[in-house]
Amino acid sequence: MLIKLIRSFSSAHHLPGYDGPCRNLHGHTWKAVFLIEGEIGPSGMVCDFKTVKKLLDDNLPDHRLLNDVLPNPTAELLAQHLFKTIGEKLKQENLKLKSLEIWESENAAAVAQD
């Protein structure tokens, strides 16, 4: 069974070496769309949404400078990084992260998937 959760976080970044305005420090309110796979348990749920929302929120770089997380924090590299790190946390809960969309604006996203 697949479940989908959407979370948001705010952070700033700059893209070193980029020839354009994004080389300057700027911020985004990012949207993260998680597609998670798991078995339906005796409760009738794959997982308690409240528990998984907390796990996701605790591992998103909210109110952080993304350059402290990644040297070149493009949407693509951020999606790849979060897919790996949050995917490992979800495995500990017997869940599998199937895909992660990182939206830096309402019309631009990067997708990491297995």
Side-chain angles (χ1 to χ4, degrees):
M1 172 65 66
L2 298 173
I3 60 169
K4 186 181 285 190
L5 290 135
I6 300 172
R7 312 306 297 150
S8 64
F9 61 99
S10 297
S11 61
H13 69 156
H14 62 91
L15 302 180
Y18 181 75
D19 185 21
C22 292
R23 74 176 170 262
N24 299 317
L25 183 64
H26 64 283
H28 296 280
T29 298
W30 304 80
K31 180 170 76 169
V33 181
F34 296 88
L35 188 61
I36 299 168
E37 182 177 52
E39 297 295 322
I40 297 175
S43 66
M45 298 184 284
V46 169
C47 59
D48 184 336
F49 282 134
K50 180 180 174 183
T51 301
V52 175
K53 285 178 189 176
K54 180 171 179 8
L55 182 151
L56 299 175
D57 290 346
D58 287 350
N59 288 282
L60 289 171
D62 190 36
H63 286 79
R64 302 253 334 254
L65 176 61
L66 294 177
N67 297 78
D68 291 342
V69 177
L70 295 168
N72 184 22
T74 63
E76 295 87 345
L77 292 174
L78 181 60
Q80 186 177 58
H81 170 75
L82 293 174
F83 184 83
K84 182 177 189 276
T85 58
I86 293 175
E88 290 171 2
K89 300 285 186 184
L90 288 168
K91 278 183 190 175
Q92 296 171 8
E93 303 296 323
N94 296 315
L95 299 169
K96 182 176 183 180
L97 183 55
K98 298 295 286 179
S99 69
L100 169 58
E101 298 175 19
I102 294 293
W103 291 82
E104 74 171 26
S105 70
E106 66 183 42
N107 55 13
V111 180
Q113 58 189 11
D114 67 351

PDB file of all heavy atoms in Angstrom, residues 1 3-5 7 15-16 20 38 54 61 63 66 68-69 79 83-84 87-88 95 101 103 110 113:
ATOM      1  N   MET A   1       0.858  -1.174   0.000  1.00  0.00           N
ATOM      2  CA  MET A   1       0.000   0.000   0.000  1.00  0.00           C
ATOM      3  C   MET A   1       0.898   1.229   0.000  1.00  0.00           C
ATOM      4  O   MET A   1       1.941   1.244   0.632  1.00  0.00           O
ATOM      5  CB  MET A   1      -0.885  -0.013   1.245  1.00  0.00           C
ATOM      6  CG  MET A   1      -1.693   1.238   1.472  1.00  0.00           C
ATOM      7  SD  MET A   1      -2.951   1.612   0.236  1.00  0.00           S
ATOM      8  CE  MET A   1      -4.089   0.292   0.459  1.00  0.00           C
ATOM      9  N   ILE A   3       1.157   5.417   0.684  1.00  0.00           N
ATOM     10  CA  ILE A   3       0.575   6.607   1.307  1.00  0.00           C
ATOM     11  C   ILE A   3       1.387   7.806   0.828  1.00  0.00           C
ATOM     12  O   ILE A   3       2.557   7.672   0.450  1.00  0.00           O
ATOM     13  CB  ILE A   3       0.558   6.527   2.846  1.00  0.00           C
ATOM     14  CG1 ILE A   3       1.971   6.392   3.408  1.00  0.00           C
ATOM     15  CG2 ILE A   3      -0.350   5.391   3.320  1.00  0.00           C
ATOM     16  CD1 ILE A   3       2.056   6.578   4.901  1.00  0.00           C
ATOM     17  N   LYS A   4       0.746   8.959   0.828  1.00  0.00           N
ATOM     18  CA  LYS A   4       1.416  10.183   0.387  1.00  0.00           C
ATOM     19  C   LYS A   4       1.270  11.234   1.478  1.00  0.00           C
ATOM     20  O   LYS A   4       0.176  11.438   1.998  1.00  0.00           O
ATOM     21  CB  LYS A   4       0.790  10.699  -0.904  1.00  0.00           C
ATOM     22  CG  LYS A   4       1.523  11.887  -1.501  1.00  0.00           C
ATOM     23  CD  LYS A   4       0.859  12.379  -2.775  1.00  0.00           C
ATOM     24  CE  LYS A   4       1.164  11.442  -3.909  1.00  0.00           C
ATOM     25  NZ  LYS A   4       0.753  11.971  -5.223  1.00  0.00           N
ATOM     26  N   LEU A   5       2.378  11.870   1.806  1.00  0.00           N
ATOM     27  CA  LEU A   5       2.375  12.960   2.778  1.00  0.00           C
ATOM     28  C   LEU A   5       3.058  14.164   2.159  1.00  0.00           C
ATOM     29  O   LEU A   5       4.073  14.033   1.464  1.00  0.00           O
ATOM     30  CB  LEU A   5       3.114  12.559   4.051  1.00  0.00           C
ATOM     31  CG  LEU A   5       2.364  11.511   4.873  1.00  0.00           C
ATOM     32  CD1 LEU A   5       3.278  10.431   5.335  1.00  0.00           C
ATOM     33  CD2 LEU A   5       1.688  12.184   6.020  1.00  0.00           C
ATOM     34  N   ARG A   7       4.699  17.866   3.122  1.00  0.00           N
ATOM     35  CA  ARG A   7       5.215  18.700   4.208  1.00  0.00           C
ATOM     36  C   ARG A   7       5.835  19.943   3.569  1.00  0.00           C
ATOM     37  O   ARG A   7       6.130  19.959   2.369  1.00  0.00           O
ATOM     38  CB  ARG A   7       6.287  17.963   5.028  1.00  0.00           C
ATOM     39  CG  ARG A   7       5.937  16.563   5.470  1.00  0.00           C
ATOM     40  CD  ARG A   7       4.630  16.423   6.223  1.00  0.00           C
ATOM     41  NE  ARG A   7       4.637  17.143   7.479  1.00  0.00           N
ATOM     42  CZ  ARG A   7       3.542  17.667   8.033  1.00  0.00           C
ATOM     43  NH1 ARG A   7       2.373  17.556   7.444  1.00  0.00           N
ATOM     44  NH2 ARG A   7       3.619  18.286   9.178  1.00  0.00           N
ATOM     45  N   LEU A  15      23.712  29.260  -4.765  1.00  0.00           N
ATOM     46  CA  LEU A  15      24.307  28.243  -5.623  1.00  0.00           C
ATOM     47  C   LEU A  15      25.679  28.730  -6.089  1.00  0.00           C
ATOM     48  O   LEU A  15      25.782  29.542  -7.010  1.00  0.00           O
ATOM     49  CB  LEU A  15      23.393  27.953  -6.817  1.00  0.00           C
ATOM     50  CG  LEU A  15      21.991  27.481  -6.444  1.00  0.00           C
ATOM     51  CD1 LEU A  15      21.170  27.222  -7.694  1.00  0.00           C
ATOM     52  CD2 LEU A  15      22.028  26.245  -5.550  1.00  0.00           C
ATOM     53  N   PRO A  16      26.739  28.248  -5.427  1.00  0.00           N
ATOM     54  CA  PRO A  16      28.084  28.676  -5.787  1.00  0.00           C
ATOM     55  C   PRO A  16      28.393  28.301  -7.240  1.00  0.00           C
ATOM     56  O   PRO A  16      28.039  27.237  -7.711  1.00  0.00           O
ATOM     57  CB  PRO A  16      28.991  27.911  -4.830  1.00  0.00           C
ATOM     58  CG  PRO A  16      28.128  27.107  -3.951  1.00  0.00           C
ATOM     59  CD  PRO A  16      26.721  27.243  -4.396  1.00  0.00           C
ATOM     60  N   GLY A  20      24.011  33.452 -12.471  1.00  0.00           N
ATOM     61  CA  GLY A  20      22.663  34.009 -12.439  1.00  0.00           C
ATOM     62  C   GLY A  20      22.332  34.463 -11.032  1.00  0.00           C
ATOM     63  O   GLY A  20      23.147  34.336 -10.110  1.00  0.00           O
ATOM     64  N   GLY A  38       4.236   0.645   2.526  1.00  0.00           N
ATOM     65  CA  GLY A  38       4.247  -0.198   3.716  1.00  0.00           C
ATOM     66  C   GLY A  38       3.069  -1.152   3.692  1.00  0.00           C
ATOM     67  O   GLY A  38       2.163  -1.020   2.866  1.00  0.00           O
ATOM     68  N   LYS A  54       5.789  13.622  12.102  1.00  0.00           N
ATOM     69  CA  LYS A  54       6.830  14.077  13.028  1.00  0.00           C
ATOM     70  C   LYS A  54       8.208  13.618  12.560  1.00  0.00           C
ATOM     71  O   LYS A  54       9.163  14.398  12.564  1.00  0.00           O
ATOM     72  CB  LYS A  54       6.551  13.598  14.454  1.00  0.00           C
ATOM     73  CG  LYS A  54       7.620  14.053  15.449  1.00  0.00           C
ATOM     74  CD  LYS A  54       7.237  13.781  16.867  1.00  0.00           C
ATOM     75  CE  LYS A  54       8.270  14.183  17.893  1.00  0.00           C
ATOM     76  NZ  LYS A  54       9.430  14.918  17.515  1.00  0.00           N
ATOM     77  N   PRO A  61      15.244  20.206   6.645  1.00  0.00           N
ATOM     78  CA  PRO A  61      16.111  21.319   7.059  1.00  0.00           C
ATOM     79  C   PRO A  61      15.353  22.647   7.191  1.00  0.00           C
ATOM     80  O   PRO A  61      15.660  23.629   6.516  1.00  0.00           O
ATOM     81  CB  PRO A  61      17.152  21.369   5.934  1.00  0.00           C
ATOM     82  CG  PRO A  61      16.401  20.884   4.729  1.00  0.00           C
ATOM     83  CD  PRO A  61      15.437  19.843   5.243  1.00  0.00           C
ATOM     84  N   HIS A  63      14.265  26.178   8.405  1.00  0.00           N
ATOM     85  CA  HIS A  63      14.967  27.358   8.919  1.00  0.00           C
ATOM     86  C   HIS A  63      16.474  27.114   9.031  1.00  0.00           C
ATOM     87  O   HIS A  63      17.099  27.444  10.034  1.00  0.00           O
ATOM     88  CB  HIS A  63      14.365  27.815  10.258  1.00  0.00           C
ATOM     89  CG  HIS A  63      13.046  28.482  10.077  1.00  0.00           C
ATOM     90  ND1 HIS A  63      11.880  27.766   9.872  1.00  0.00           N
ATOM     91  CD2 HIS A  63      12.699  29.776  10.027  1.00  0.00           C
ATOM     92  CE1 HIS A  63      10.876  28.615   9.726  1.00  0.00           C
ATOM     93  NE2 HIS A  63      11.343  29.841   9.804  1.00  0.00           N
ATOM     94  N   LEU A  66      20.874  25.944   3.651  1.00  0.00           N
ATOM     95  CA  LEU A  66      21.111  24.656   2.995  1.00  0.00           C
ATOM     96  C   LEU A  66      22.562  24.444   2.610  1.00  0.00           C
ATOM     97  O   LEU A  66      23.017  23.299   2.479  1.00  0.00           O
ATOM     98  CB  LEU A  66      20.210  24.513   1.771  1.00  0.00           C
ATOM     99  CG  LEU A  66      18.716  24.426   2.093  1.00  0.00           C
ATOM    100  CD1 LEU A  66      17.906  24.356   0.815  1.00  0.00           C
ATOM    101  CD2 LEU A  66      18.412  23.257   3.001  1.00  0.00           C
ATOM    102  N   ASP A  68      24.919  24.762   4.537  1.00  0.00           N
ATOM    103  CA  ASP A  68      25.504  24.063   5.681  1.00  0.00           C
ATOM    104  C   ASP A  68      25.211  22.569   5.626  1.00  0.00           C
ATOM    105  O   ASP A  68      25.833  21.788   6.342  1.00  0.00           O
ATOM    106  CB  ASP A  68      24.964  24.626   7.003  1.00  0.00           C
ATOM    107  CG  ASP A  68      25.442  26.041   7.286  1.00  0.00           C
ATOM    108  OD1 ASP A  68      26.442  26.477   6.662  1.00  0.00           O
ATOM    109  OD2 ASP A  68      24.806  26.720   8.114  1.00  0.00           O
ATOM    110  N   VAL A  69      24.256  22.171   4.793  1.00  0.00           N
ATOM    111  CA  VAL A  69      23.865  20.760   4.635  1.00  0.00           C
ATOM    112  C   VAL A  69      24.563  20.152   3.419  1.00  0.00           C
ATOM    113  O   VAL A  69      25.071  19.033   3.484  1.00  0.00           O
ATOM    114  CB  VAL A  69      22.327  20.637   4.490  1.00  0.00           C
ATOM    115  CG1 VAL A  69      21.901  19.200   4.259  1.00  0.00           C
ATOM    116  CG2 VAL A  69      21.618  21.230   5.712  1.00  0.00           C
ATOM    117  N   ALA A  79      16.972  16.930  -3.126  1.00  0.00           N
ATOM    118  CA  ALA A  79      16.040  15.801  -3.225  1.00  0.00           C
ATOM    119  C   ALA A  79      16.790  14.487  -3.028  1.00  0.00           C
ATOM    120  O   ALA A  79      16.342  13.607  -2.275  1.00  0.00           O
ATOM    121  CB  ALA A  79      15.315  15.818  -4.571  1.00  0.00           C
ATOM    122  N   PHE A  83      16.153  12.108   0.150  1.00  0.00           N
ATOM    123  CA  PHE A  83      15.647  10.769  -0.176  1.00  0.00           C
ATOM    124  C   PHE A  83      16.474   9.714   0.558  1.00  0.00           C
ATOM    125  O   PHE A  83      15.932   8.784   1.143  1.00  0.00           O
ATOM    126  CB  PHE A  83      15.701  10.546  -1.692  1.00  0.00           C
ATOM    127  CG  PHE A  83      15.118   9.234  -2.126  1.00  0.00           C
ATOM    128  CD1 PHE A  83      13.751   9.088  -2.309  1.00  0.00           C
ATOM    129  CD2 PHE A  83      15.924   8.133  -2.359  1.00  0.00           C
ATOM    130  CE1 PHE A  83      13.201   7.886  -2.703  1.00  0.00           C
ATOM    131  CE2 PHE A  83      15.393   6.924  -2.756  1.00  0.00           C
ATOM    132  CZ  PHE A  83      14.026   6.799  -2.926  1.00  0.00           C
ATOM    133  N   LYS A  84      17.784   9.877   0.544  1.00  0.00           N
ATOM    134  CA  LYS A  84      18.660   8.910   1.212  1.00  0.00           C
ATOM    135  C   LYS A  84      18.514   8.970   2.730  1.00  0.00           C
ATOM    136  O   LYS A  84      18.302   7.951   3.385  1.00  0.00           O
ATOM    137  CB  LYS A  84      20.107   9.169   0.816  1.00  0.00           C
ATOM    138  CG  LYS A  84      21.097   8.198   1.411  1.00  0.00           C
ATOM    139  CD  LYS A  84      22.505   8.484   0.921  1.00  0.00           C
ATOM    140  CE  LYS A  84      23.481   7.426   1.322  1.00  0.00           C
ATOM    141  NZ  LYS A  84      24.039   7.533   2.619  1.00  0.00           N
ATOM    142  N   GLY A  87      14.871   8.279   3.848  1.00  0.00           N
ATOM    143  CA  GLY A  87      14.590   6.882   3.509  1.00  0.00           C
ATOM    144  C   GLY A  87      15.148   5.923   4.541  1.00  0.00           C
ATOM    145  O   GLY A  87      14.501   4.935   4.914  1.00  0.00           O
ATOM    146  N   GLU A  88      16.355   6.205   5.042  1.00  0.00           N
ATOM    147  CA  GLU A  88      16.966   5.364   6.075  1.00  0.00           C
ATOM    148  C   GLU A  88      16.154   5.409   7.370  1.00  0.00           C
ATOM    149  O   GLU A  88      15.988   4.387   8.044  1.00  0.00           O
ATOM    150  CB  GLU A  88      18.408   5.787   6.318  1.00  0.00           C
ATOM    151  CG  GLU A  88      19.320   5.447   5.154  1.00  0.00           C
ATOM    152  CD  GLU A  88      20.720   6.045   5.280  1.00  0.00           C
ATOM    153  OE1 GLU A  88      21.020   6.711   6.299  1.00  0.00           O
ATOM    154  OE2 GLU A  88      21.508   5.854   4.338  1.00  0.00           O
ATOM    155  N   LEU A  95       9.054   0.999   6.746  1.00  0.00           N
ATOM    156  CA  LEU A  95       8.440   1.714   5.631  1.00  0.00           C
ATOM    157  C   LEU A  95       9.507   1.956   4.577  1.00  0.00           C
ATOM    158  O   LEU A  95      10.695   2.037   4.887  1.00  0.00           O
ATOM    159  CB  LEU A  95       7.862   3.048   6.103  1.00  0.00           C
ATOM    160  CG  LEU A  95       6.766   2.968   7.157  1.00  0.00           C
ATOM    161  CD1 LEU A  95       6.475   4.343   7.732  1.00  0.00           C
ATOM    162  CD2 LEU A  95       5.506   2.340   6.574  1.00  0.00           C
ATOM    163  N   GLU A 101       9.431  14.304  -3.956  1.00  0.00           N
ATOM    164  CA  GLU A 101       9.432  15.491  -4.808  1.00  0.00           C
ATOM    165  C   GLU A 101       9.799  16.684  -3.936  1.00  0.00           C
ATOM    166  O   GLU A 101       9.195  16.887  -2.884  1.00  0.00           O
ATOM    167  CB  GLU A 101       8.048  15.743  -5.405  1.00  0.00           C
ATOM    168  CG  GLU A 101       7.533  14.651  -6.284  1.00  0.00           C
ATOM    169  CD  GLU A 101       6.114  14.906  -6.749  1.00  0.00           C
ATOM    170  OE1 GLU A 101       5.635  16.071  -6.694  1.00  0.00           O
ATOM    171  OE2 GLU A 101       5.465  13.934  -7.173  1.00  0.00           O
ATOM    172  N   TRP A 103       9.805  20.620  -4.197  1.00  0.00           N
ATOM    173  CA  TRP A 103       9.320  21.765  -4.966  1.00  0.00           C
ATOM    174  C   TRP A 103       9.933  23.034  -4.396  1.00  0.00           C
ATOM    175  O   TRP A 103       9.703  23.363  -3.237  1.00  0.00           O
ATOM    176  CB  TRP A 103       7.805  21.846  -4.887  1.00  0.00           C
ATOM    177  CG  TRP A 103       7.126  20.736  -5.618  1.00  0.00           C
ATOM    178  CD1 TRP A 103       6.902  19.459  -5.172  1.00  0.00           C
ATOM    179  CD2 TRP A 103       6.579  20.797  -6.935  1.00  0.00           C
ATOM    180  NE1 TRP A 103       6.264  18.735  -6.134  1.00  0.00           N
ATOM    181  CE2 TRP A 103       6.046  19.523  -7.222  1.00  0.00           C
ATOM    182  CE3 TRP A 103       6.493  21.811  -7.895  1.00  0.00           C
ATOM    183  CZ2 TRP A 103       5.434  19.237  -8.440  1.00  0.00           C
ATOM    184  CZ3 TRP A 103       5.887  21.517  -9.102  1.00  0.00           C
ATOM    185  CH2 TRP A 103       5.368  20.247  -9.364  1.00  0.00           C
ATOM    186  N   ALA A 110      12.234  18.807  -8.227  1.00  0.00           N
ATOM    187  CA  ALA A 110      13.136  17.697  -8.527  1.00  0.00           C
ATOM    188  C   ALA A 110      12.562  16.452  -7.856  1.00  0.00           C
ATOM    189  O   ALA A 110      12.000  16.541  -6.756  1.00  0.00           O
ATOM    190  CB  ALA A 110      14.535  17.989  -8.000  1.00  0.00           C
ATOM    191  N   GLN A 113      13.795   8.989  -6.679  1.00  0.00           N
ATOM    192  CA  GLN A 113      12.995   7.768  -6.511  1.00  0.00           C
ATOM    193  C   GLN A 113      13.896   6.553  -6.541  1.00  0.00           C
ATOM    194  O   GLN A 113      15.031   6.642  -6.972  1.00  0.00           O
ATOM    195  CB  GLN A 113      11.926   7.674  -7.583  1.00  0.00           C
ATOM    196  CG  GLN A 113      12.435   7.685  -9.000  1.00  0.00           C
ATOM    197  CD  GLN A 113      11.325   7.817 -10.017  1.00  0.00           C
ATOM    198  OE1 GLN A 113      10.179   8.095  -9.688  1.00  0.00           O
ATOM    199  NE2 GLN A 113      11.650   7.610 -11.271  1.00  0.00           N
TER     200      GLN A 113
END
